[in-house]
Amino acid sequence: MNDLFLDRLIDLALEEDLGAAGDITSVALVPADQLGKAELWAKEEMVLSGLEAFAHVFARVDPRVKCELEASDGDRTGPMQGIAQLEGPLRALLAAERTALNILQRTCGIATAAAKAAEAVKGSKLKVIDTRKTAPGMRSLVKRAVRDGGLQNHRFGLFDGVLIKDNHIAAVGGSITDAVRAAKANAPRLVKIEIEITKLEQLEEAITEGADVVLLDNFDDARIAEAVKQANGRVELEISGKVTLERLPILAKLGAAYVSMGAVTHSARAMDLSLEVQTIRPRR
Amino acid sequence: MNDLFLDRLIDLALEEDLGAAGDITSVALVPADQLGKAELWAKEEMVLSGLEAFAHVFARVDPRVKCELEASDGDRTGPMQGIAQLEGPLRALLAAERTALNILQRTCGIATAAAKAAEAVKGSKLKVIDTRKTAPGMRSLVKRAVRDGGLQNHRFGLFDGVLIKDNHIAAVGGSITDAVRAAKANAPRLVKIEIEITKLEQLEEAITEGADVVLLDNFDDARIAEAVKQANGRVELEISGKVTLERLPILAKLGAAYVSMGAVTHSARAMDLSLEVQTIRPRR
Amino acid sequence: MNDLFLDRLIDLALEEDLGAAGDITSVALVPADQLGKAELWAKEEMVLSGLEAFAHVFARVDPRVKCELEASDGDRTGPMQGIAQLEGPLRALLAAERTALNILQRTCGIATAAAKAAEAVKGSKLKVIDTRKTAPGMRSLVKRAVRDGGLQNHRFGLFDGVLIKDNHIAAVGGSITDAVRAAKANAPRLVKIEIEITKLEQLEEAITEGADVVLLDNFDDARIAEAVKQANGRVELEISGKVTLERLPILAKLGAAYVSMGAVTHSARAMDLSLEVQTIRPRR
Amino acid sequence: MNDLFLDRLIDLALEEDLGAAGDITSVALVPADQLGKAELWAKEEMVLSGLEAFAHVFARVDPRVKCELEASDGDRTGPMQGIAQLEGPLRALLAAERTALNILQRTCGIATAAAKAAEAVKGSKLKVIDTRKTAPGMRSLVKRAVRDGGLQNHRFGLFDGVLIKDNHIAAVGGSITDAVRAAKANAPRLVKIEIEITKLEQLEEAITEGADVVLLDNFDDARIAEAVKQANGRVELEISGKVTLERLPILAKLGAAYVSMGAVTHSARAMDLSLEVQTIRPRR
Amino acid sequence: MNDLFLDRLIDLALEEDLGAAGDITSVALVPADQLGKAELWAKEEMVLSGLEAFAHVFARVDPRVKCELEASDGDRTGPMQGIAQLEGPLRALLAAERTALNILQRTCGIATAAAKAAEAVKGSKLKVIDTRKTAPGMRSLVKRAVRDGGLQNHRFGLFDGVLIKDNHIAAVGGSITDAVRAAKANAPRLVKIEIEITKLEQLEEAITEGADVVLLDNFDDARIAEAVKQANGRVELEISGKVTLERLPILAKLGAAYVSMGAVTHSARAMDLSLEVQTIRPRR
Amino acid sequence: MNDLFLDRLIDLALEEDLGAAGDITSVALVPADQLGKAELWAKEEMVLSGLEAFAHVFARVDPRVKCELEASDGDRTGPMQGIAQLEGPLRALLAAERTALNILQRTCGIATAAAKAAEAVKGSKLKVIDTRKTAPGMRSLVKRAVRDGGLQNHRFGLFDGVLIKDNHIAAVGGSITDAVRAAKANAPRLVKIEIEITKLEQLEEAITEGADVVLLDNFDDARIAEAVKQANGRVELEISGKVTLERLPILAKLGAAYVSMGAVTHSARAMDLSLEVQTIRPRR
């Protein structure tokens, strides 16, 4: 299925890398009809994500490149494991290689980081969710990688959920009640209302007005526990702010439903993947 | 000066975050004519980069947003230092905030990582350079961030330098001599020829044919030292493969001119920056 | 044959409906490899138009969707008649459904409204033509629907015919003679000159200067008849303004060659069409 | 605030009307430096919507065109009421006129139709909501027009709410329970789950599984009343199918919370608006 | 007034010349805040055309560049005559220079070639017109240049005139009568019908069926004269095929109304224009 | 292999020629399912270039058009030689014909002009190179045509080579030494440094600082010879300014390595190519 937004990102990435001048090394050295094949390798342990986008980059450069996947998004691979086989015009393989890997090493990095976070809260009821802190143009790839790593997604964008922050509350005059009521009156029909609070005292008002979720902004552990106790199941609670992998097991014991974690998407390390390209002797 | 490629990335990032539906929270809660102001803060020590792109995101959302920069790309900021003041329609400030920060936290992260690498080789003749391992669509932002951090850029793309790898050599029949000659005959007029070698024995042939730079692919320290000795200043040498911040000081002593380092651009941690947005009471 | 303008409209329509986030219901509930089939039904009597665009929406979402048309543009269908069979990935069928129907229900509505207008003047020499009052981006689809309904098109755009209105006459100083002469001197080689008049007295001057068509703007029936008599076949006359389906038979008797009618394209009711989608059990 | 999707629609509409050849009548008759002014008139009673888009079309054709609005979206205007004053290069006014009106006559038509539906249920608790049956590319304009007319919006697109239809239920094996559970497990964090039922017997299961809204597809009045009774406030109910303006007062008495109505957006009549353009004598 | 097609061409031209990497010479040598000025010179005698597009290239690169024109399209300039003064950021002047000149030297070349053709038939009734043999993407610039040189335009594109060639006649079965009738029945309302004939015997049939123009394809002078005599003013005649500047005065005596000439647009020599750029010392 | 920049140019060219209205002659006269075939002829002697782009235009209009090339880029063809056979829907052949030829007649013209220049210096060591004086949007096509004609390319754009002109020298304060040093310090890693000098006295300084190439701007023959003598092989010299085909043999004797020649790309005459289109009788 086509993803028109992803197509635009891939085109942009190819155009910045190739320019109108193209891959001058290949043009100088590789005959236009030279065929090649390539194997994609995971060079360390990782959770895979973004394989279709990887394949799509090659198809965009030249539809004659065939890519056969030997693993799937969400799979955990050992080091030095083959993931995909490609075959097609050698110039196309070389022209697409870096752009395709630049995507894949990031999506696999995010899926792998997500899997670590999922592992850290395993067995508890706490669910780790992502944020909108994604590289520009990569939102759908990143959201998918987070799911491939075993976490759930928070809002995709500004359009699929109401999240009332302090600025919004200030804009309606400072009252949580007014803010939630305005949201309920004006928001689209099928989105939930989440409201960020910075003080424990604001919780009751948010619950009373029927917010669907309350975000505890930068609460310490004690205050989180207190909020959970006070909410007593009447509203979903989300922990946010300074969340690290190390802190997750502690947070998991506090009883909140969700914790959002920016680092999974904004600072995941790129995975080590490589493409071994080989020349195929032309038949003639 | 307009950057048409950057414009496309910003549009894509805004469209994926806003969709056609827009920021439903602000539409529900913030009057269309409500003004706001905002201050950009660096919340940890970092080297700045990407400030113009940051400002441009807001201008693209609404040209009425004014952004005054209080620091410049390349500046090193202490923690909790103000970087920019913005003022304009509150809805626009909120709609652009995340997209602008998603860019800036990455460019500053890369500049900061680059500065650390520059520091690691300070005083030596070794120059650390970047690679093409950049997030899709962010090439020019990333290349600039690398320079803001004090490093030099390698090739920008596939078009501004010939880099002959093993595949290219294989495609011309396996001979380094043939490869360099073909490159010299066919490459554009003002680009240099770099060739990757995997064995020390290939060095002499590359030098003889007049390659401008020789890339030592995954050479250990002893072989690098041997290559430097053998080249004896007749060609520039570039070290590549498994380069870490820790290994840089060691490499700095081996006598090669350049070392390329992917981690600076593919795995730099995002910097902690925040935008404090405030409502301005409308005059009426 | 590709229609690059239509491609842009379809992309825009898909992007506004899917965003970068996609069809979250299908992603949550339908396996990626689930196949489906669908039948397109006309649920009331109508004249068909836009079937290729309808099929194209599905192909754009996923080229694997196959669409077999069982009727053609211009066909009149009874109620509850099957029009097309589709088969392909279920997610693609569901993602494209609404966008495809949003186009088709409008083009069929316009073709059906056009057919009614054609019927109203049947047997007379009066030809009903359309206007440029079309939904933004749908010009070529709408112009085609008008023809499929049995009417002729007026100008397609501002580029394929000169139509001199009062503003243009004022801009050259108020003289019909000067206006027609300027048009003849400056207009492209193969377009005709039409001029709008608001008073009967202007007719003779327009004819004398060799206008190809004279548009009678908001003339009542008596004045139209008088104009026809005065023109006496020396120029084509077009009736325009407040034209309803009911008034057409009356206008048909007045002797003018053309009547343009905006309602056919700006206010046609959407036709009732539905797509019955079914799950196909995967073979495994 | 810029709307990048709307910009694309306006560009497409202008390009289809002007082509690369432009407005040949104005080029032939109107000097390039000729100024003009124009007044926008509502020629019948209507509710306004889309005025910013209207103004934006002129600004896109020539930024020197100034447009002063004398009324606001959501205003009800009497017949022959002035709405906006424009001034700028005459060629630009004439080139943009039709495209701007083609948008405005539709958005005002939809706002006016929406206002009639709102009137029909006034005093009751029933809320009329729209559908996704909008002209391609006009989604955000149409959704806004619906609100300007006094109704609420249903989902904006496929991304801001889960709506489970029979196909989705079939795809998970036929069980409502399974469908709602899968949706809850996989859907984004802040969207609600709506499920369509075709038989009264399915209601209890949907409620038990915690669906947020249940859509009663093509239920007659008696069955709607029965469903309301059975739900007894445990879930929101939405009426859908064959909803006409005439039927609304009857539906308003049945106790359901929402009724969705496609005709407001797919078949609203275009409003009668006209732009009176005048030549301004150049100063020299 | 904006020209959306021209904008796309300028963007494409700038992107191919600058890539995402930009003007590396200026970035290396010119401070970002360095101002400059430039003067545009005609270095040979020519007719000017395309000055607005020239200025627009600079504005697109940086809106701060101001361009004051000292001459107008259509003006004939002597050698070494100043045409425009520019001032703005030096980097922008240098980045836009080549792209702007690449357009202007072609449009001026075409206007100058057109002026020579106009001169060659001066005093006769023969009008020289252009063809669609224009550089890709430059159609509107070229058509305008032809007019600036004093000639008239033929069709702009495939959409503003019917031109029936032998293929079309073959497609309707070989009959000129059938071809003209089909065109009259199906073509848009305000375009004329031109038909190409290859034999003198076809002329009468074309006239009888009411073709507006007859194109004499590759007729020699004698046959042209015979056709003029036979047509006797009943139809406009266009001469086409192997038309050179030298042949024009001969053709001018044969009595045909029009002659179309491809060389004016497809092979005009580029004019010699240069931009003298100077550094302005920054005030500080 | 796809060329995304070329795709944009072809789309732009097709959209300007077809508009949204399309080829009204074919729509009026040619049935939608009518097939046709076509043969491409070279009507004069020429060197071929751009054949893939030619074929691509047809494929873009309708992927069902098949194009079989009977010659290759770089081939020299005699007059009246067949070059390609096409077959497909007749409407598509006719719609694409002019746009495809508009490209091909220019690329072949440039290749042929390049071949003449190559011929003029044959046997000497002087290499003729091109400039950036190319039609907007056609850079890659033109650069390729130059190579197909037997010449080498200068810089492709502003990004793949440093070329220091007088403005740049002025911007760094007037010193050639400072200019070359700044370039070496700041330019990307694999590009060479070329510097333009206007006086013989500047040569030594440029050589001393290690410029890779020195461009002799508008030097007469005597001064060129003197520069060659003075450089004595220490730097490559490029001749530039007022270079004609006639002057090439003289320049070839002066000993410089390169001469750049704008006329090859900015003023090459279009080649005479024609497409003979024929109707194929539909099988039914």
Side-chain angles (χ1 to χ4, degrees), chain A residues 15 19-21 60-62 64, chain F residues 1-2 4-5 8 140 156:
Chain A
E15 288 182 48
R60 179 62 176 146
V61 168
D62 197 321
R64 292 170 297 179
Chain F
M1 198 166 136
N2 289 322
L4 304 184
F5 283 81
R8 283 163 67 187
S140 68
F156 186 96

Side-chain angles (χ1 to χ4, degrees), chain A residues 1-2 4-5 8 140 156 159, chain C residues 15 19-21 60-62:
Chain A
M1 198 165 136
N2 289 322
L4 304 183
F5 283 80
R8 283 163 66 188
S140 67
F156 187 96
F159 47 75
Chain C
E15 288 183 49
R60 180 61 176 145
V61 169
D62 198 321

Side-chain angles (χ1 to χ4, degrees), chain E residues 78-93:
Chain E
M80 293 319 295
Q81 189 165 330
I83 304 172
Q85 303 278 355
L86 297 104
E87 190 166 334
L90 182 57
R91 282 188 181 181
L93 292 174

Side-chain angles (χ1 to χ4, degrees), chain C residues 161-222:
Chain C
V162 168
L163 178 42
I164 305 172
K165 299 194 179 176
D166 50 356
N167 315 302
H168 301 107
I169 299 171
V172 293
S175 148
I176 283 182
T177 298
D178 291 351
V180 177
R181 287 184 185 176
K184 290 204 161 184
N186 300 322
R189 279 270 295 133
L190 290 179
V191 296
K192 293 183 179 172
I193 314 288
E194 176 165 3
I195 187 163
E196 178 183 295
I197 64 172
T198 50
K199 300 180 212 159
L200 202 48
E201 303 84 77
Q202 300 169 306
L203 180 58
E204 200 58 36
E205 192 175 349
I207 295 174
T208 305
E209 287 305 320
D212 295 291
V213 188
V214 172
L215 185 150
L216 309 175
D217 185 39
N218 274 314
F219 276 39
D220 59 26
D221 295 354

